[in-house]
Amino acid sequence: MKQNSSRNLVIMWFANFFIAGSMTMVLPFISLYIETFGNFTPSYVQHWSGWTFAITFVTAFIFSPIWGRIGDLFGRKKILIVSGIGMGISIFLMGSVTSVWQLFILRLFMGIFTGFVGMSQAFISTQTPKEIAGRVMGTLQTGSITGSLMGPLLGGILADTFGYADTFKWTSITIFISAFLVFFTVEKKLTNKEGTKTSYTSKEVILHIIRNPVLLTVLLISSLIQVAHFSIQPILSLYVSELHGPENLAFFAGIAFSAAGLGNLLMARQWGKIADRYGYVKILVILLFMAGIFYFPGGFVTNLWQLVLVRFALGVTIGGIIPVRIAYIRQEAPIAMQGEVLGYNTSLRFFGNIIGPVMGGLLSGYFGFTAVFISTSVLLILSGVILLASMHRHPKLLRGSA
């Protein structure tokens, strides 16, 4: 059984690599793609970049807990395959759109199936002993991080070489590969400790979350973190254009995106190991404060390479937040409800993904790019303060890696 768990981890690492790489291939130039549909003002492009980027997460916000509950009841392997196929079809069709509205509708439809990475985390988490959950989830995340690191660079090269539309079509192929890889996993039948329940109603799951204020706080902060992290995403290429100019813009926007991925890659597994040893919530607080401090200078840079350095520093800290958070949920939620609890976590993250891009687009349109970085920094530090207060208010709920 241990061999199957290790095999599943390797397979899902590569599946996440392809999914994350594919998704981030197109992120750097969504705003540039919108510009090709007509003669629009910069403010129009910034606003619609935010809405088009965010709409995927509206449907994802609704469907994530539903998929999580279905996974708890019937297994997660089938859902992972459906998710990959649905996303692949959506992105393939995006290469044929001719208007902002068509792109917007397809991004909305894709949200139904978005959540492959979150579901794979639940798939691997339930097969992982609690005492090494941080390290294993950190290892799994390096797959999506590595894909995120290479995706923007490859996407920038493909876009500069073949155009935006063909890049969407090439991207869909790697997503279909991810769905195919899942066929080779072995889904482990979950076992519960003697005397524990084998299934929970949605009401029982929600009550379990509410009765643990620290767990509830961690889940709610997921939204704030994503608002902060995604506020700059849809307009980053426009910021790069302002700093660097239009020459090879997609490529240099890809570098700016990938810098955060490199920081993620170097530290995600290490943060997971540190949190296994010293406690998940304590490390989360530290990471949130560090991320807020590192992000602030991004609004005051004067050239592209300063921005790249800020993005790298942010990646070093953000990279630890996801595996540490998943490991904490793994510790606090019984096996039979973990998929649904992680589904709520994913849903709240997607809610932040909805607000973040829209907020970033509006702030940059009215107040400039600097305002986005300042507000992002404040949100990250505020998240750290909220979690720190919850820690001190409910010390009995804190545990280490046990």
Side-chain angles (χ1 to χ4, degrees):
M1 194 63 74
K2 183 178 179 182
Q3 185 177 5
N4 284 339
S5 297
S6 299
R7 180 187 176 199
N8 287 348
L9 178 60
V10 171
I11 291 172
M12 293 314 302
W13 190 98
F14 281 101
N16 281 350
F17 169 81
F18 286 121
I19 285 285
S22 301
M23 299 297 285
T24 55
M25 271 185 199
V26 299
L27 290 184
F29 58 78
I30 281 183
S31 56
L32 306 178
Y33 192 34
I34 290 173
E35 287 182 329
T36 66
F37 298 146
N39 186 22
F40 306 126
T41 65
S43 178
Y44 179 93
V45 173
Q46 289 173 21
H47 291 171
W48 273 104
S49 295
W51 284 109
T52 303
F53 187 89
I55 193 61
T56 297
F57 305 114
V58 173
T59 42
F61 166 73
I62 296 168
F63 280 89
S64 288
I66 297 172
W67 289 126
R69 178 159 184 78
I70 294 172
D72 281 337
L73 294 175
F74 303 108
R76 300 179 177 92
K77 180 175 178 177
K78 295 175 184 176
I79 296 172
L80 284 165
I81 294 170
V82 170
S83 174
I85 293 172
M87 283 192 293
I89 292 172
S90 301
I91 289 185
F92 179 82
L93 293 175
M94 287 179 201
S96 302
V97 300
T98 56
S99 70
V100 177
W101 277 106
Q102 290 173 356
L103 182 63
F104 180 85
I105 291 169
L106 280 173
R107 291 275 302 171
L108 184 148
F109 178 76
M110 188 177 78
I112 297 173
F113 304 99
T114 299
F116 184 99
V117 173
M119 182 58 67
S120 72
Q121 290 168 343
F123 183 65
I124 297 299
S125 173
T126 51
Q127 304 174 26
T128 304
K130 291 183 180 181
E131 63 272 10
I132 60 169
R135 186 180 72 195
V136 171
M137 299 315 297
T139 300
L140 178 64
Q141 189 176 327
T142 60
S144 57
I145 292 167
T146 307
S148 299
L149 177 64
M150 297 181 65
L153 289 172
L154 182 57
I157 293 170
L158 288 172
D160 285 336
T161 306
F162 300 108
Y164 303 129
D166 285 344
T167 301
F168 278 97
K169 294 174 181 178
W170 282 106
T171 296
S172 67
I173 295 173
T174 53
I175 294 182
F176 288 129
I177 291 173
S178 296
F180 179 71
L181 286 174
V182 178
F183 278 105
F184 297 97
T185 61
V186 177
E187 185 152 19
K188 178 181 176 182
K189 186 177 181 180
L190 304 181
T191 57
N192 294 273
K193 290 181 180 179
E194 190 174 344
T196 60
K197 297 183 66 171
T198 56
S199 65
Y200 294 84
T201 65
S202 291
K203 181 180 178 181
E204 288 174 320
V205 174
I206 292 172
L207 286 174
H208 177 84
I209 295 170
I210 292 173
R211 287 167 181 165
N212 186 331
V214 178
L215 175 60
L216 178 61
T217 303
V218 169
L219 292 176
L220 292 175
I221 282 176
S222 295
S223 288
L224 287 180
I225 294 168
Q226 294 305 109
V227 169
H229 188 43
F230 274 76
S231 61
I232 195 66
Q233 298 284 59
I235 56 170
L236 186 60
S237 58
L238 302 175
Y239 193 32
V240 171
S241 177
E242 182 179 284
L243 292 171
H244 180 75
E247 186 178 356
N248 294 322
L249 179 56
F251 174 72
F252 285 106
I255 290 178
F257 269 84
S258 295
L262 180 58
N264 268 254
L265 179 62
L266 293 176
M267 285 300 296
R269 191 170 186 271
Q270 294 304 314
W271 284 123
K273 289 172 66 176
I274 292 168
D276 282 336
R277 183 174 179 182
Y278 294 105
Y280 302 120
V281 179
K282 294 175 185 176
I283 299 302
L284 270 177
V285 170
I286 292 171
L287 289 172
L288 288 168
F289 281 119
M290 289 174 62
I293 292 168
F294 289 155
Y295 213 108
F296 186 79
F300 303 94
V301 298
T302 56
N303 63 60
L304 174 63
W305 301 112
Q306 291 173 350
L307 176 64
V308 169
L309 185 61
V310 168
R311 295 275 301 165
F312 173 79
L314 176 71
V316 167
T317 53
I318 290 288
I321 289 175
I322 293 178
V324 172
R325 192 170 54 201
I326 299 299
Y328 174 72
I329 294 170
R330 167 74 177 90
Q331 173 184 278
E332 297 298 328
I335 283 179
M337 68 164 67
Q338 278 179 25
E340 189 166 353
V341 175
L342 286 168
Y344 285 119
N345 177 66
T346 303
S347 183
L348 286 165
R349 286 179 59 210
F350 285 144
F351 181 71
N353 292 358
I354 297 166
I355 304 300
V358 174
M359 184 188 81
L362 292 173
L363 283 173
S364 65
Y366 289 112
F367 303 106
F369 295 112
T370 299
V372 181
F373 283 90
I374 294 173
S375 60
T376 294
S377 180
V378 170
L379 275 176
L380 287 166
I381 292 173
L382 178 63
S383 298
V385 170
I386 293 171
L387 188 53
L388 183 63
S390 182
M391 278 178 60
H392 285 292
R393 190 172 180 181
H394 306 282
K396 293 182 180 179
L397 293 175
L398 296 179
R399 292 184 282 176
S401 57

